[in-house]
Amino acid sequence: MDDAAVRAVGRLTTRWAARAVTGERGTVLTAAGVWPLLALLADGAGGQARAELAEALGIPAGSAARAARDLLRALAGVRGLEAATGLWTRAGLPLEEPWRARLPEGARGVLSGDAETDAGTLDAWASERTGGLIERMPVAVRRDTLLVLASALALRLKWIRPFSPWCPELTGGPWAGREVSGLYRETALLDRVRVARTPAGPVTLLEVVGDTGVDVHLVLGEPGAAPGEVLAGGIAAATRTIPATGASLLPEGSRGPASRSAPSRRARGNPG
């Protein structure tokens, strides 16, 4: 798909993370799910709404529908990922035929106006498109509901190099003194760990490789750094928008959050 659309999705994810992640409670987000929905709305919108949607998307509204379809096709090609976009309108609601024709195949549904029936339809869609991970649609449908937009992303993968269980003793941070369960693993690939300098301060990234071609980046900032800013900096580093230094290139003694560079020593013996 178009690199400009990929970058636009990354920018929206970064902006969203910076505002939505506060540290007060957990959350899950990705603009890869909401971006196609906004793009489809932008394609059919006019006036100020069209301009605002285009600004949020980061691409012109005239190319939004094509970009949305391309993104959904790209997501469908990722092994282990189930991705779906749904748009339901009230029966009898007039829609412009050119806009409806540009919607992705299978994306549009119809609301009957019966709240119980429509809720069952949406719940079934959510369960089917996520392999049962989401059993109910988190939206209340009423008799006067005209439009429902939904995105579902479900990813299943295994680590190429599995983790092992570990029970660390923590002496600092919010979990200090508590019994916790952890995971660990060892690797000789030092540059799976990188350190980036961001507006939130130094951020450490650990890249964990999955078996489906999808990699996961774990991000950690300094104590006291704003979670949203840390995540925004981590996304920028993971997408190569800002530079990050691999652990093998860090000067001896240099640090990132929860990381330290030190020389490696191995004993050598003479062959017998």
Side-chain angles (χ1 to χ4, degrees), residues 46-176:
Q48 185 63 27
R50 185 178 178 89
E52 291 178 358
L53 285 166
E55 181 180 2
L57 290 169
I59 66 169
S63 59
R66 177 183 56 81
R69 293 192 299 269
D70 289 346
L71 175 58
L72 292 173
R73 279 195 294 267
L75 292 174
V78 177
R79 288 189 297 127
L81 177 66
E82 297 180 62
T85 294
L87 184 153
W88 293 264
T89 57
R90 176 74 178 271
L93 185 69
L95 300 175
E96 294 185 358
E97 184 56 35
W99 177 75
R100 183 166 55 182
R102 289 191 292 270
L103 294 176
E105 184 178 356
R108 182 174 177 265
V110 177
L111 299 174
S112 67
D114 181 87
E116 184 175 350
T117 299
D118 291 335
T121 298
L122 297 179
D123 290 345
W125 181 90
S127 179
E128 176 187 353
R129 297 304 180 93
T130 64
L133 294 177
I134 299 176
E135 297 179 352
R136 299 181 64 84
M137 181 78 81
V139 62
V141 183
R142 301 188 302 268
R143 293 184 60 184
D144 59 348
T145 298
L146 297 180
L147 175 68
V148 174
L149 303 173
S151 171
L153 295 174
L155 176 65
R156 289 180 171 90
L157 57 77
K158 294 181 179 179
W159 309 126
I160 289 180
R161 182 184 295 273
F163 288 82
S164 299
W166 176 42
C167 296
E169 294 183 4
L170 302 179
T171 58
W175 298 284

Side-chain angles (χ1 to χ4, degrees), residues 3 14 19 29 37 87 115 122 141 154 161 164-167 179 184 193 200 216 223 228 234 250 252 256:
D3 287 345
T14 302
R19 290 166 173 78
L29 61 90
L37 289 170
L87 184 153
L122 297 179
V141 183
R161 182 184 295 273
S164 299
W166 176 42
C167 296
E179 184 177 344
Y184 83 95
V193 176
V216 175
L250 291 173
E252 182 180 341

